[in-house]
Structures are given as structure tokens and as C-alpha cells.
Amino acid sequence: NLMLFTGVHAQHFVYKAAYFGFFDNREYFNRYVNDQTIFGSRLSGELGYSFDENNRIMAGADYLYEFGSKGEWIAPDVIAYYHGMRKNFGLYLGAFPRQGNISMPMALMTDTFQYYRPLVEGMLIDFKTARFRHNIWIDWSSRQSATKRETFLLGFSGHYQHGIFMYQHHIVMTHLAHALEHTPDERI
């Protein structure tokens, strides 16, 4: 995996550009995973306004191109969020990059999130001190409609370290509701 970031602050206008390339060969025999090679690039850009050193709004797009997918148009993901900080608290609200903001073991999240769901669509509240960090976040992945289920992930992460003593926890809950017009055999 290759990742590059750049950013500039000038007269309160800010921008970010990022590239993420991936090559993931999953051609092994496992009945729970599709045998496949995942190969592609993500390009993203953000433009925004920083009101002061603690508050900014950003907007942009993140585009995935999977190599070999000629003629299969994949719509870009829309980036639009507010980021604020006060003393030890941080807040993201909107559709913001997952990379660098949500830090959980891959066993709890899935290893392809950065390929196919690079944005958190919801909110993140983060609290940090020199020895302690805790956050809570919600990532909406589907809005309920007549045919679609409402789905979201809710996560908590915490870390404390004092000398050689370290404690951390990670919790993820997946919510899956019925569609508005569901059949009796549709399970939650």
C-alpha cells in the first residue's frame, strides 16, 4: 500500500490531496472469502475554510479506480464535514476520511474498508490527553427506505498507558434494521 498526503494553509483556505494505491492478492482457498485480486487506486481532494486553528469545514471528493474495470463507472464519494477541537476534545461531523481518524484492529472492521469505504459518514467524538485517549463514532452505511435496510456501525475505542502498564479496548456494533416494506421472513 502506498499513501501520500499534502496540505497547505494560506489565508485561512486549506486543501488536502491524497493518493492511496493497493494490490491485494487473495487467491487462496478459503470458503469464506472470494478468490480474487484487488488492485486499484484512490485519489482524493479536499478544499475548505479554516475559521481559526480549531474549526474548519471541508468539501471534496474521493474516487476509486479498480484496474481492469473499464466501462464500469463507480461514482466518487462526496467528502463534506466539519472538524472542531476544544482543549482535549475533537469532533468530526459529516462525511470525513476514515484513515487517521478511526483506529481499530482490522479484525473488528474488515481489511477492505480503506479500499471500498474510505469515508465515515456520521460523527466522531475524540478525547485525548498525554496518557489517555477515548473515542466514540457512528458510521451510517444505509438509510432506511421501502426496499433498503437501515444500517450503521457504532464504535468505541480507548487506550491508557502509564509506564509499562497499558490498557486498551475496542468495541464495534453493527445495526441492521428492517426495510420499511419487509416480509415476515426478513431477519434482523
Side-chain angles (χ1 to χ4, degrees), residues 122-180:
M123 181 171 58
L124 166 69
I125 299 171
D126 199 21
F127 177 79
K128 291 185 217 178
T129 66
R131 295 182 183 169
F132 178 77
R133 179 178 186 182
H134 196 276
N135 64 51
I136 180 172
W137 52 269
I138 188 165
D139 182 11
W140 238 267
S141 50
S142 180
R143 185 172 163 262
Q144 190 176 41
S145 72
T147 58
K148 289 185 180 178
R149 294 173 166 222
E150 174 188 72
T151 61
F152 62 81
L153 295 172
L154 178 66
F156 303 87
S157 287
H159 180 268
Y160 174 77
Q161 186 163 2
H162 184 73
I164 63 168
F165 175 76
M166 182 188 76
Y167 166 80
Q168 67 179 334
H169 64 270
H170 304 284
I171 300 167
V172 176
M173 180 195 86
T174 301
H175 170 81
L176 178 62
H178 289 294
L180 291 174

